[in-house]
Each structure stands twice: as C-alpha cells, then as structure tokens.
C-alpha cells in the first residue's frame, strides 16, 4: 500500500494557524493596551476599584450649657461642611473662668442610671456628665471630645490635625473673645483651616437662664404685676427689664422666628415602614435635658419608630403654672427633633391619648417615665393614658436619670446671684453682637 501525504495542504494549514494565533495574541495585547490607556485617563471616581476618598472631618467646640435648638442648629450646619463632625465639650473650669459657673456641669456623676435590661450601673454614664450626654445625643454628631479648651491653642490645634485628622475648625459668626481681648480662633484662622457658620437667631444659654431668672423675679413681684404673665410675653416676644437693682440690660424673651424650612432641616423626612412597631411618648420636654435624652433612648429601644408628642404651651401652663413653659412649643419641638433617638414629633399633641390617635398613627405601644413632671395629675383630671391602659398597650418605664425641668430651675434659683452676674457679663457681648451684626449667607 502506498501512502500519499498532501504536504502542500498541510503547509497551508500550519501557516493559517500561525496567522490566527498571531492575530489572537495581537488582539489581546492591543485590547490590554487600549484598556490601560482608557483607565489612565479616567477620573478616579469612575473606577469601581478606586481607593475610597478620605472623609472630610470638621471640628466644632462649645460649652453646650443649657443645650438648646440653637446649639443643635450650629452642629447641623457644621456637619454639612464635612462628612464627619467631631465636637469638643469645654471643661467646667474653663467655662467658669471665661463665662461663669455652668448650669449643667460636665463632671456631674450619676448613680441612678441602669443599663437597659440589666442591673449593672453603666460605666460610661458614671464618668460622663449632662453636657456630654446632650451633645452625644444630637443626630449630626459623630464623635465627642470631653474637656476641650475654651480657646484653640497651638498644642490642641496640632492634636486636632494629627490625632483626630481634622480638616477644618468651625465656629459661628458671633465673635468669641477671650478675657485678654484676643480671638479664641485666631490660630485656626491663621492656619487657613477655619470656616464660619451662621448663628441661630433668638436664643442663647444666656437668654434661657435669663428667662428662668425672670420667672423667679416675676413670682416675687407685687400682685399689681401678676396680670402680665410670662406665657403672654413668650407668645408675643416681649422683653422685660429687671427692677429694683436688676441688670437693667433686659431679658430677651423668645425672639425665635419659626420657619417651615427649619422644621424640614431638623426632620428625618422618613415615615415608619408598613410593619413598623411604633412607640409613642409625650410630654412638655421643656429645657430639653439629659433626663429627656435617656428616657427617649429607652423608649426607642422598644420599637422601630419613636413618635414624640409635644404638649402645647397652654397645656403646660395649665398643669405646671403660668410661668411655664420656659421654651415655647416650636423651640421645644426643634430640640426634640434634633435628638438621634426621635423619628417624628407631633407639634401640639393632645393631653389625652385617644383611641382615634392610636389608630391614626398606628401606635403599638404608649410609654411614660417614672420620673416626670406630670405623674401626679391635678385633681379632677382623668388619667391621660386611660385608653392605652385599657387596650393593654401602655408601659411605664423606669427613668434612667432622676432629673426634671424643675430640677434645673431650682438649680438656677438656688444660685440666683451667681447666674445673675454671669448673665450681666454675657449680656453686654450679646448686645454688641446684635448691634454690629451683618448678613451671613448659608444656613
């Protein structure tokens, strides 16, 4: 048998295979080159495997004594200038040296706080103070530094930049002048790492302390002055000067101008899910304090959505006296909305929790604390929680802290003279601020 090999055809096949392989290899090389060229000219943000961009960290400090919605709004604005907000809480000693004695000391210790569902005293709160609790509870705050200096020193600024990775130091447009007449933020400005926000109109710690001192003063005036109740002054934004040797500088009474935009800025903007367990708690929440924060935290832990009812000024006055509330309804609502444990508020909630209200808001549980201004209801008034009790959806919570609005007012009353002097000292600087104030954009 003779075997014949078509060598010519085999040679052509080999050449074709080589050509095909060359084309394939060339195509791969060309593709990789094109891909490399493409990636080299793409902005980093378009690469799915890019390195994560470093967050902008901003720092804001303050005394945060008598925490109010003005503080919260400042923190909100500061947070908007970066990705993470670090807050320094000034020490008691530096507040006393620069402003006068604090109303809520940083290092006041608590022995009545028990962790949820256990009987072990919380180590955190044993060493923390009211002001730390309040600042930590603000929903725009990411981190808190205790015992911060009143003025930004070289050493502390270096610590902020190196240890805390701070990019900018923030303060309001109102000047912060030290006793020697220098600017507390001069070094930050010189370093080019300073940003300014707009001060919230109509409120300050000095103003609030002044309102409480005015309460004390009004109750000691003769009957001829009794017709001019504080409630009416709050409603109409009047001012009243102390008499018989008072400061003479006048006390600003609720010059806050509520706007719909501010409510939106403070709100979460999200409602409960279809199967959410909604917890309801109500009250005056006057002079929003650490006791309020801790009971709200406890209540939020019992469900998926916390709805808070804020009683009207008239309801509070009817149950606590004509000199209350110190803060009006809109002011109190903003303070509560700024709390990270609160999802939504009812502005002007009814005194009694009705069946219709429970149905309308799909409330699963109504709660109330053991430490509250309203636990002893006035004679003739029915229990406002009678209906949720009858429905089996009411629970009384053990209040984490033994503090009420009355506690704070009594502290002011017992240190009347010290706080009067403090307010006289601060009133002059606030007066100069309002006289020299210019428009600041933003907010």
């Amino acid at each position: 048998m003779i075997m014949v090999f078509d060598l010519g055809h085999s040679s052509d096949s080999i050449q074709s295979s080589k050509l095909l392989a060359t084309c394939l290899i060339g195509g791969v090389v060309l593709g990789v080159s094109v891909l490399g060229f493409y990636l080299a000219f793409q902005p980093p943000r378009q690469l799915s495997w890019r390195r994560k961009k470093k967050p902008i960290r901003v720092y804001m400090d303050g005394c945060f004594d008598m925490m109010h919605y003005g503080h919260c709004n400042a923190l909100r604005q500061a947070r908007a200038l970066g990705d993470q907000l670090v807050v320094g809480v000034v020490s008691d000693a530096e507040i006393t040296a620069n402003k006068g004695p604090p109303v809520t000391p940083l290092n006041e210790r608590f022995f009545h706080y028990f962790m949820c569902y256990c009987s072990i005293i919380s180590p955190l709160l044993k060493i923390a103070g009211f002001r730390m609790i309040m600042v930590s509870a603000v929903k725009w705050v990411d981190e808190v530094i205790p015992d911060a200096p009143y003025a930004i020193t070289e050493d502390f600024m270096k610590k902020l930049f190196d240890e805390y990775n701070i990019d900018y130091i923030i303060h309001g447009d109102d000047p912060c002048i030290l006793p020697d007449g220098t600017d507390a933020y001069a070094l930050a400005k010189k370093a080019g790492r300073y940003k300014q926000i707009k001060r919230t109109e109509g409120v300050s710690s000095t103003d609030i302390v002044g309102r409480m001192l005015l309460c004390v003063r009004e109750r000691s005036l003769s009957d001829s002055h009794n017709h001019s109740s504080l409630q009416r002054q709050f409603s109409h934004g009047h001012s009243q000067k102390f008499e018989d040797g008072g400061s003479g500088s006048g006390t600003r009474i609720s010059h806050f101008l509520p706007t719909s935009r501010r409510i939106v800025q403070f709100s979460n903007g999200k409602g409960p899910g279809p199967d959410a367990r909604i917890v309801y708690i109500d009250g005056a929440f006057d002079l929003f304090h650490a006791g309020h924060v801790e009971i709200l935290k406890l209540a939020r832990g019992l469900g998926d959505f916390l709805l808070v009812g804020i009683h009207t000024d008239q309801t509070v006055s009817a149950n606590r006296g004509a000199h209350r509330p110190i803060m009006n309804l809109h002011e109190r609502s903003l303070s509560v909305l700024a709390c990270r444990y609160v999802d939504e508020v009812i502005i002007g909630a009814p005194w009694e929790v009705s069946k219709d209200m429970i149905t309308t808001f799909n409330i699963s549980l109504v709660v109330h604390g053991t430490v509250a201004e309203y636990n002893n209801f006035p004679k003739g008034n029915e229990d406002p929680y009678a209906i949720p009790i009858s429905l089996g959806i009411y629970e009384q919570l053990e209040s984490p802290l033994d503090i009420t609005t009355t506690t704070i007012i009594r502290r002011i009353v017992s240190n009347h003279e010290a706080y009067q002097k403090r307010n006289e000292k601060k009133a002059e600087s606030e007066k100069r601020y309002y006289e020299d104030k210019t428009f600041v954009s933003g907010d």
Side-chain angles (χ1 to χ4, degrees):
M1 180 182 291
I2 300 174
M3 298 181 67
V4 179
F5 296 92
D6 189 349
L7 296 178
H9 179 74
S10 298
S11 177
D12 291 343
S13 297
I14 292 171
Q15 291 298 322
S16 298
S17 299
K18 287 183 178 180
L19 179 62
L20 178 61
T22 301
C23 292
L24 288 173
I25 294 171
V28 171
V29 172
L30 179 62
V32 170
S33 301
V34 171
L35 178 62
F37 181 80
Y38 172 78
L39 295 178
F41 287 90
Q42 290 305 302
R45 66 177 181 275
Q46 293 185 13
L47 304 180
S48 60
W49 57 87
R50 70 186 183 278
R51 291 184 62 185
K52 191 174 182 179
K53 183 181 177 183
K54 176 186 174 294
I56 296 175
R57 286 168 62 83
V58 296
Y59 172 82
M60 186 173 196
D61 59 16
C63 301
F64 303 105
D65 197 19
M66 296 297 301
M67 190 84 175
H68 51 71
Y69 64 90
H71 291 133
C72 298
N73 192 45
L75 296 173
R76 179 191 65 79
Q77 292 181 79
R79 180 63 167 73
L81 295 177
D83 302 305
Q84 297 171 357
L85 173 61
V86 180
V87 181
V89 182
V90 177
S91 68
D92 296 342
E94 294 220 28
I95 292 180
T96 302
N98 289 277
K99 300 178 70 173
V103 177
T104 50
L106 180 64
N107 296 317
E108 184 163 356
R109 297 177 184 271
F110 313 122
F111 300 98
H112 301 291
Y113 184 87
F114 289 81
M115 292 183 70
C116 189
Y117 308 118
C118 75
S119 59
I120 301 173
I121 299 178
S122 167
L124 175 63
L125 286 179
K126 283 184 69 178
I127 61 173
F130 285 144
R131 293 188 284 120
M132 286 291 292
I133 291 176
M134 294 301 297
V135 174
S136 299
V138 176
K139 61 188 177 185
W140 299 290
V141 175
D142 297 293
E143 191 175 339
V144 183
I145 302 174
D147 292 317
Y150 190 81
I152 300 293
T153 62
E154 284 277 11
D155 289 343
F156 187 69
M157 187 166 69
K158 186 176 187 304
K159 184 176 182 179
L160 289 177
F161 295 159
D162 296 344
E163 294 184 26
Y164 289 95
N165 299 313
I166 297 300
D167 295 290
Y168 298 102
I169 294 171
I170 316 292
H171 188 63
D173 63 302
D174 52 318
C176 186
I177 307 301
L178 300 174
D180 63 2
T182 59
D183 184 352
Y185 296 91
L187 292 175
K189 293 176 180 177
K190 184 178 179 181
R193 306 280 284 272
Y194 176 85
K195 287 190 177 185
Q196 182 175 276
I197 59 169
K198 190 172 184 177
R199 172 173 166 158
T200 305
E201 291 299 313
V203 68
S204 67
S205 297
T206 304
D207 161 47
I208 295 171
V209 171
R211 298 188 201 184
M212 285 184 277
L213 291 174
L214 185 55
C215 285
V216 176
R217 186 59 179 159
E218 174 159 303
R219 283 188 289 179
S220 67
L221 293 176
S222 65
D223 291 341
S224 62
H225 295 277
N226 285 344
H227 67 279
S228 178
S229 71
L230 280 181
Q231 185 60 46
R232 189 154 56 249
Q233 291 175 43
F234 288 164
S235 300
H236 294 85
H238 294 166
S239 296
Q240 177 174 320
K241 294 184 178 181
F242 285 103
E243 301 174 5
D244 303 328
S247 68
S249 61
T251 302
R252 295 169 54 80
I253 302 298
S254 187
H255 284 189
F256 170 59
L257 300 176
T259 64
S260 57
R261 185 164 62 95
R262 182 72 76 230
I263 294 290
V264 171
Q265 289 170 337
F266 273 53
S267 299
N268 291 343
K270 295 180 180 179
D275 300 318
R277 178 176 168 82
I278 300 172
V279 179
Y280 177 76
I281 185 171
D282 61 4
F285 297 98
D286 196 16
L287 299 178
F288 195 68
H289 53 68
H292 292 138
V293 168
E294 292 303 313
I295 195 67
L296 291 174
K297 180 180 180 180
L298 199 58
R300 182 62 176 79
L302 298 176
D304 308 304
F305 191 91
L306 183 60
L307 177 64
V308 182
I310 316 291
H311 293 151
T312 66
D313 295 347
Q314 292 75 17
T315 296
V316 178
S317 293
N319 289 279
R320 301 305 303 168
H323 59 286
R324 300 278 288 277
I326 302 298
M327 311 289 284
N328 69 33
L329 176 60
H330 287 95
E331 294 174 313
R332 292 183 283 120
S333 297
L334 287 178
S335 292
V336 174
L337 273 174
C339 181
R340 68 172 71 250
Y341 309 115
V342 176
D343 295 293
E344 189 173 1
V345 303
I346 299 176
I347 303 175
W351 173 250
E352 296 181 1
V353 181
S354 66
K355 178 67 169 65
D356 179 68
M357 180 178 167
I358 292 170
T359 303
T360 298
F361 292 100
N362 195 28
I363 295 170
S364 304
L365 182 66
V366 176
V367 299
H368 190 64
T370 53
V371 176
E373 306 270 2
Y374 296 146
N375 279 342
N376 297 319
F377 305 117
K379 290 182 179 179
N381 285 7
E382 293 185 3
D383 187 339
Y385 306 108
I387 291 187
I389 289 173
S390 69
L391 294 173
I393 60 168
Y394 175 83
E395 183 177 342
Q396 188 170 55
L397 305 180
E398 187 68 33
S399 296
L401 295 179
D402 186 10
I403 177 176
T404 65
T405 301
T406 299
T407 307
I408 298 173
I409 293 176
R410 283 174 180 165
R411 177 172 290 176
I412 296 294
V413 172
S414 62
N415 296 279
H416 180 148
E417 293 184 5
Y419 291 119
Q420 180 65 49
K421 290 178 181 178
R422 166 180 161 163
N423 269 28
E424 289 174 0
K425 183 179 178 180
K426 288 291 295 177
E428 188 58 37
S429 64
E430 290 203 3
K431 180 181 177 183
R432 287 196 300 271
Y433 165 74
Y434 280 103
E435 287 176 346
D436 301 335
K437 189 182 76 169
T438 57
F439 175 75
V440 175
S441 61
D443 194 23

